């Protein structure tokens, strides 16, 4: 297949490129019909307070099972959803489902849990994002301080001033902001001054290397402490990592050592087993 560029010259896709394009088109079609058929669902990963050793929150993570029954990783389909204009629809669906789930948990007595929800930069760029958020909180009667939005450092890259104003508005209604995957982006430390976040999440890669070299984990912890932020460690897989983080004074941790992300039923079972 040939594609004509502006200059009129034809660019030929190699077979491989053609294959990738076909895969992408199939994937996009899949995302569209999955939204319609509600084939997206959330799983929830417990987050543990290192003070009490008990869960203090959950992170909502999106899952998609395609028509063939395979699970597609969000690391793969989220960027595609962003490129294709479907991210806002999916993201609003995530916000709504996570708040609905939290309200159910609260009805069961789990009123101390905070629900963390990942949001895409594209959602934040929607003019009515704060209104949509407020509306959803009202619909499910969820206290704003029981919701935390996870964003990545890159969001401040475009327009730091605009980003800051928006995030301040979100903080004003009582919803907290967490900076996800901290330390992996390309932005400078000065973004910390632009992003009014209450929490830093140490990227999994720095937890993974802790047994050999814990310097980055310590630095991020120190940063968070100096800026008056809470710090969460992501991807804690071993007891050694857990104890080291607790001893360093990290506030919170999540990872397979405690629990993998759980579907609704398994989540209730898990919560009953730890809270009794
Ligand atoms: P993230 O927000 O940093 O989420 C943490 C990822 O680490 C999750 O991958 C989780 O399943 C995985 N994980 C948790 N504990 C461990 C561990 O101990 N070891 C290892 N190896 N991995 C662990 P997942 O669910 O595949 O999500 C990948 C990324 O996709 C997320 O990274 C987030 O950036 C994005 N994502 C997921 N759900 C949503 C969503 O609803 N909206 C948006 N915008 N992004 C989402
Ligand atoms: Mg996250
Ligand atoms: Mg992360
Ligand atoms: Mg990530």
């Amino acid at each position: 297949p040939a594609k004509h560029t502006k200059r009129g010259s034809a660019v030929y896709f190699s077979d491989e490129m053609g294959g990738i394009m076909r895969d992408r088109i199939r994937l996009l079609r899949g995302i569209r019909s999955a939204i319609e058929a509600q084939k997206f669902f959330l799983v929830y990963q417990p987050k543990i307070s290192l003070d009490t050793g008990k869960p203090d929150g959950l992170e909502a993570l999106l899952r998609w099972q395609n028509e063939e029954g395979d699970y597609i990783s969000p690391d793969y389909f989220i960027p595609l959803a962003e490129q294709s204009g479907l991210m806002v629809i999916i993201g609003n669906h995530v916000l709504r489902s996570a708040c609905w789930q939290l309200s159910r948990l609260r009805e069961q007595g789990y009123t101390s849990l905070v629900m963390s929800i990942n949001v895409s930069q594209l959602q934040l760029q929607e003019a009515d994002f704060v209104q949509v958020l407020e509306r959803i909180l009202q619909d499910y009667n969820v206290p704003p301080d029981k919701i935390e939005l996870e964003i990545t450092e890159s969001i401040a890259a475009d327009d730091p001033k605009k980003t800051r104003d928006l995030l301040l508005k979100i903080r004003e209604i009582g919803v907290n902001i967490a900076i996800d995957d901290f330390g992996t982006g390309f932005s400078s430390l000065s973004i910390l001054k632009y992003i009014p976040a209450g929490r830093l999440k140490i990227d999994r890669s720095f937890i993974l290397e802790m047994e050999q070299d814990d310097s980055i984990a310590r630095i991020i912890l120190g940063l968070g402490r100096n800026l008056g932020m809470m710090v969460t460690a992501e991807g804690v897989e071993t007891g050694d990592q857990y104890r080291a983080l607790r001893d360093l004074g990290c506030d919170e941790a999540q990872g397979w050592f405690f629990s993998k992300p759980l579907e609704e039923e398994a989540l209730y079972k898990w919560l009953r087993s730890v809270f009794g």
Side-chain angles (χ1 to χ4, degrees):
K3 186 181 167 222
H4 292 276
T5 64
K6 280 199 186 111
R7 282 207 218 94
S9 59
V11 176
Y12 289 89
F13 291 124
S14 65
D15 278 354
E16 194 193 353
M17 270 296 285
I20 290 169
M21 291 297 287
R22 275 190 298 278
D23 282 352
R24 287 179 55 119
I25 290 165
R26 200 179 306 136
L27 203 66
L28 283 179
R29 232 181 256 141
I31 292 177
R32 251 182 254 272
S33 53
I35 295 173
E36 283 154 20
Q38 306 193 324
K39 283 286 175 59
F40 284 106
F41 61 98
L42 293 176
V43 290
Y44 304 90
Q45 184 171 44
K47 308 203 301 165
I48 309 300
S49 158
L50 295 184
D51 278 343
T52 65
K54 296 269 181 188
D56 59 2
L58 303 166
E59 178 172 2
L61 293 160
L62 190 57
R63 293 292 176 266
W64 173 30
Q65 194 174 19
N66 73 7
E67 261 142 41
E68 286 79 46
D70 303 318
Y71 289 98
I72 316 292
S73 164
D75 278 327
Y76 187 56
F77 71 75
I78 296 272
L80 275 170
E82 287 178 334
Q83 288 159 29
S84 62
L86 298 170
M87 190 61 231
V88 174
I89 301 173
I90 297 175
N92 286 345
H93 177 61
V94 167
L95 271 178
R96 196 163 271 288
S97 308
C99 288
W100 171 79
Q101 187 61 254
L102 186 65
S103 74
R104 294 208 45 187
L105 284 159
R106 293 176 63 78
E107 284 163 12
Q108 310 281 317
Y110 299 111
T111 51
S112 63
L113 298 176
V114 171
M115 184 68 80
S116 296
I117 307 171
N118 295 283
V119 293
S120 155
Q121 176 170 8
L122 295 183
Q123 289 173 265
L124 297 176
Q125 283 167 5
E126 290 289 294
D128 62 351
F129 180 78
V130 179
Q131 279 144 273
V132 169
L133 177 63
E134 281 189 292
R135 177 67 206 266
I136 292 175
L137 293 176
Q138 272 168 21
D139 285 352
Y140 299 109
N141 197 21
V142 168
D145 68 347
K146 291 292 179 278
I147 297 292
E148 198 166 273
L149 301 183
E150 298 195 1
I151 61 171
T152 54
E153 299 166 66
S154 58
I155 77 145
D158 278 356
D159 189 342
K161 169 83 172 72
K162 198 170 155 211
T163 303
R164 180 180 168 75
D165 289 345
L166 174 71
L167 296 178
L168 282 173
K169 240 190 259 167
I170 293 172
R171 291 296 300 267
E172 255 166 46
I173 66 172
V175 171
N176 196 17
I177 305 287
I179 304 181
D180 206 352
D181 305 338
F182 186 72
T184 58
F186 289 101
S187 48
S188 77
L189 285 177
S190 65
I191 58 117
L192 287 175
K193 288 192 287 188
Y194 286 112
I195 301 183
R199 184 183 300 281
L200 277 182
K201 297 188 74 174
I202 307 174
D203 188 68
R204 182 160 69 81
S205 57
F206 305 123
I207 305 304
L208 200 62
E209 69 186 21
M210 270 184 81
E211 268 137 78
Q212 299 80 288
D213 178 3
D214 66 359
S215 53
I216 308 278
R218 280 173 185 272
I219 286 167
I220 298 176
L221 262 165
L223 253 180
R225 210 170 288 137
N226 278 301
L227 295 168
M229 300 163 87
M230 302 290 273
V231 180
T232 298
E234 299 191 273
V236 175
E237 292 184 2
T238 70
D240 283 346
Q241 291 165 349
Y242 159 61
R243 284 180 289 275
L245 286 158
R246 192 191 52 197
D247 295 346
L248 287 172
C250 187
D251 300 291
E252 186 183 62
Q254 65 187 107
W256 297 348
F257 177 66
F258 307 104
S259 171
K260 293 209 168 184
L262 303 169
E263 289 186 38
E264 184 174 15
E265 209 175 309
L267 172 68
Y268 279 102
K269 213 169 143 194
W270 188 88
L271 286 171
R272 276 197 298 275
S273 76
V274 292
F275 281 118

